[in-house]
Amino acid sequence: MYKAVGFLCILAGCAGWGHSLAGREKERVRHLKALSCLLGQIRGEISYGKHTMPEICLLLKEWDDTCYSECFGRIYKRTSEESGTDFPKVWEEELWKCMESFPLWEDEKRTVAELAKSLRFREENGQAGRVAQAETFLEGRYRQAAEACENKSKMIHSVSILTGLLLAILLL
């Protein structure tokens, strides 16, 4: 009886672990898509709206993704209240803080967090071009991750269940 309960607990634990890993992969795909759309929005606001980055942050504060909209609200608030504050520094600090717990890879986080440093062009075409480069990079990562996500999820679930079976056999 105890062995059966132990077997089920080990198997359930490993299956749950696999499910959480597969969920992180799906979450990564969701964040890559959101960031790609976000950069597209920024590029459009620079090119067609002729807005500055702090103004764009105010507009993005109303965006439907709460974790990012709160971050942009904090960026706008800090740059408008603290006169003389370096916008790229505030952008980087707030976005690193925001994306810290997200399951994104380091270079994906860096692409977004350090974007404002490269937007020191005077003309909007140069700024929009730099945002478009970052958008293209994240869009490519999104496509790769979305294509691989389903197969990775199946593989992670299978391996976690097999690991649970192996552990249960070895320990019991």
Side-chain angles (χ1 to χ4, degrees):
M1 171 74 174
Y2 290 119
K3 285 188 177 188
V5 170
F7 178 82
L8 289 175
C9 286
I10 290 171
L11 192 60
C14 287
W17 173 67
H19 184 71
S20 72
L21 287 177
R24 271 186 79 74
E25 197 61 35
K26 289 178 183 174
E27 187 72 8
R28 178 175 172 259
V29 169
R30 186 186 76 77
H31 280 288
L32 285 171
K33 182 178 181 180
L35 286 173
S36 179
C37 292
L38 180 88
L39 291 178
Q41 181 82 17
I42 291 171
R43 182 179 41 81
E45 292 296 337
I46 290 171
S47 294
Y48 304 113
K50 310 292 187 211
H51 291 102
T52 64
M53 286 301 288
E55 291 171 339
I56 292 171
C57 289
L58 180 61
L59 294 172
L60 292 175
K61 181 180 164 188
E62 305 302 321
W63 207 42
D64 60 350
D65 196 329
T66 57
C67 57
Y68 294 111
S69 64
E70 291 173 2
C71 178
F72 288 111
R74 287 191 308 267
I75 292 171
Y76 178 75
K77 184 177 180 184
R78 280 184 62 190
T79 55
S80 64
E81 288 177 353
E82 303 169 15
S83 61
T85 304
D86 188 23
F87 179 80
K89 181 182 174 198
V90 173
W91 172 279
E92 186 174 4
E93 287 173 3
E94 290 295 334
L95 278 166
W96 275 117
K97 213 182 313 179
C98 176
M99 295 186 299
E100 186 176 36
S101 64
F102 296 165
L104 296 169
W105 293 350
E106 197 65 27
D107 61 338
E108 296 163 350
K109 290 179 183 179
R110 192 177 328 105
T111 298
V112 177
E114 296 178 357
L115 180 66
K117 287 181 182 176
S118 62
L119 295 180
R120 299 206 184 233
F121 299 107
R122 283 281 191 205
E123 64 166 334
E124 63 271 355
N125 291 336
Q127 289 180 345
R130 177 60 188 107
V131 172
Q133 288 175 345
E135 179 186 9
T136 302
F137 171 74
L138 290 176
E139 181 69 28
R141 287 288 178 93
Y142 163 70
R143 285 194 183 118
Q144 288 174 347
E147 289 172 5
C149 185
E150 188 65 33
N151 290 335
K152 250 185 178 175
S153 293
K154 288 178 185 177
M155 188 261 318
I156 288 171
H157 282 110
S158 299
V159 168
S160 67
I161 290 172
L162 289 174
T163 302
L165 289 173
L166 179 65
L167 279 173
I169 290 169
L170 289 175
L171 296 176
L172 301 176

